[in-house]
Amino acid sequence: MSTDTFSNPDMPGYVGFANLPNQIHRKSVKRGFEFTLMVVGESGLGKSTLINTLFLTDLYPDRVLSSAQENIDKTVKIDVSTVEIEERGVKVRLTVVDTPGYGDAIDNTDCFQSIIQYINEQFERYLQDESGLNRRHIVDNRVHCCFYFINPAGHGLKPLDIQFMKQLHNKVNIVPVLAKADTLTKQEVAKLKRKVLDEIEENGIHIYPLPDCDTDEEEDYKEQVRQLKEAVPFAVVGSTTVLDVGGKKVRGRQYPWGVIEVENPNHCDFIKLRCLLGTHMQDLTEVTQDVHYENYRSERLAKGGGSPLAAAATAINNNSHSSTNSLPSKKQINSPPVVGQEKDRMVMELEEKEAQIRKMQEMMARMQAQLQDKK
Amino acid sequence: MPQAGPGVSPVEGVTYVGIDTLQEQTRLKALRRGYTFNLLVVGRSGLGKSTFVNTLFKATVARRKSGEEEPLPSTTEVKTVSSSLSEGGVRLNLTITDTPGFGDHINNENCWEPIVSYIEAQYGRYLQEEQKVDRLLHIPDTRIHCCVYFIPPTGHSLSSLDVEVLQRLDKIVNVVPVVAKADTLTLEERAAFKERIRADLSDHAIKVYPLQEYEDLDDAPENMKIRERLPFAVVGSTTWHEIHGKKLLGRRSNWGLVEVENKSHNDFAYMRDMLIRTHMQDLIGSTAERHYENFRRARLSTKTTSKVNIVNGQDTDHMEDLNESKI
């Protein structure tokens, strides 16, 4: 390290922008990261245990399991819990969205409505924030990743699983997970994985594609990513109990016939799943931003259409750098920025009112439908 | 060999009549006829029902799936497979009834109806035969003697579908609830799960076999022990493994071998003992004496012909029918 920070005689012509990544790194570390993870699956598949195992926290300290009586007439709820975790100075604000009640009723045709609605609401909120006047502190609550828990009993995907994934693969990154993998022997796991992947392909479902790495990455990293790709869907086992196995303290599950270690790659894919989260958190966020959010946005704007929104959009366009949208209406209107700001505010208010009215209409339609069912 | 009574000399006492040979005569007759046992397995797909039944009878008695893929039926179907087993000269005509498509759909409303109508249809068929003027001496018995209900090992409690189905089934057939794939749960989880299920069953007044109200006093202590263990947490397997020279049925994974017959690993041995070795005759008998009679009473009392026997009370009817029934 040189004492003179402004010039480095050993490297003539050194400008110093190779330092850029460090600057970005320092800034983002200070700002912290936000990540939202959604877990979906029938009850009893070990979702909460897996989350606690992954993040080494207890996100559900006051959890009470419901009895069968309470299970009847249960609707799908959305449970959001946020926790700040820190590792080596890097702070992450992790939000876990749980979906209790999914797949538990006798008639499950509507169980993913509330989930789709939640995801859309987050996109909508982000869209509003992005189109707003003060964009300094946009909170990103969009769902970046969805772990979908597949029941290991059964022979592959159930009709409910296929329906859910078809409806959500364009809105969120789906990572399929084989729950409670300690039920299965190694051959059964391999067979089930192949079956699940075949069914996913047959139904044209797009799960989160782990990106191939560039050829200039290190061999180890490439090998790691290759192994990750092959292991999808991940067969996981979760446990927060620490056991003593041969003098070593490991997290696992104790059976009369043996102990399954959570962090042993020969026993289950937990390590790989954790690695996925660790190495691809940034990519998951990017794909959510670049693909799912953009899809939502273009659909929404095409629907919402007309001049008010387009005017607001053009105002943003004039202020910020060019973004990758291709709506033709934007190019036509050319309102001057000063007057545009005044219009902006009114337009924003109008939009909000419209959104509110739409929400109330939806609620009324839903209540009417419920009344019809009860009859 | 004739047993001597207290006041009789051992060798061909004067007062020896020979009544005790009745048992032997019955046994020989039954041996010749063979026994019939009809088992119904109900549960979502993938819970190991067919494997379990094959393990129970140590033979391939369950319906074999044609190849790997069978399309999911749009409603619950009822399929039966009959086989004849023989052991020690005793012949058993075993029929296993399976219910593919149960509980596997997105909307499972009324998925239990085909099952309920199947059970009642068997009672109906028996009743019809019984009522014929020229009826068969030995009516073929297709009535379901025992229904094994497979509960998925979630570790939480009974699902609403489980409750709905069990509430309907327990009134028409002997129901034995079973926790499937019990190797998913550790022993503590299993105990807690069983307790919650028992609480759920009593909350919803679901009566499972062995029923407390109809048992003989002699059977009470044994049945009590069985009830404490309900629902049985079982593991099924038809693959043999060799450990220390011994051949064992089990499931092998990277971290251990789950032994099917090992009582500390799962309740399969207890279930098998109850179902086959101690309570099979009671299952057959209670189906004929109780569930079938309930059905018969309900069916006949809805008919308005003069041939109907007005029901006085449960006991008298029961006594009457016992006297009339053949051995």
Side-chain angles (χ1 to χ4, degrees), chain A residues 69-87:
Chain A
Q69 183 59 47
E70 295 161 23
N71 276 342
I72 300 182
D73 297 330
K74 206 156 78 151
T75 50
V76 181
K77 287 194 283 132
I78 305 281
D79 254 350
V80 181
S81 12
T82 312
V83 72
E84 305 254 348
I85 47 183
E86 180 173 332
E87 194 184 63

Side-chain angles (χ1 to χ4, degrees), chain A residues 31 44 48 74 114 166 177 180 209 226 253 297 339 365:
Chain A
R31 192 173 51 210
S48 319
K74 206 156 78 151
S114 36
K166 272 192 175 156
V177 165
K180 292 199 170 175
R226 199 181 59 83
R253 290 169 64 75
R297 192 162 174 274
V339 179

Side-chain angles (χ1 to χ4, degrees), chain B residues 187-228:
Chain B
L187 293 180
E188 302 89 18
E189 291 170 350
R190 238 183 260 176
F193 188 39
K194 282 191 190 185
E195 244 187 71
R196 274 193 286 269
I197 293 183
R198 280 196 289 263
D200 284 337
L201 289 176
S202 70
D203 282 345
H204 292 273
I206 296 173
K207 296 197 180 45
V208 298
Y209 184 83
L211 295 159
Q212 199 151 3
E213 4 177 22
Y214 296 114
E215 62 190 358
D216 297 329
L217 284 164
D218 307 324
D219 297 331
E222 201 182 325
N223 284 354
M224 190 59 97
K225 266 193 268 174
I226 291 178
R227 264 191 290 273
E228 277 168 22

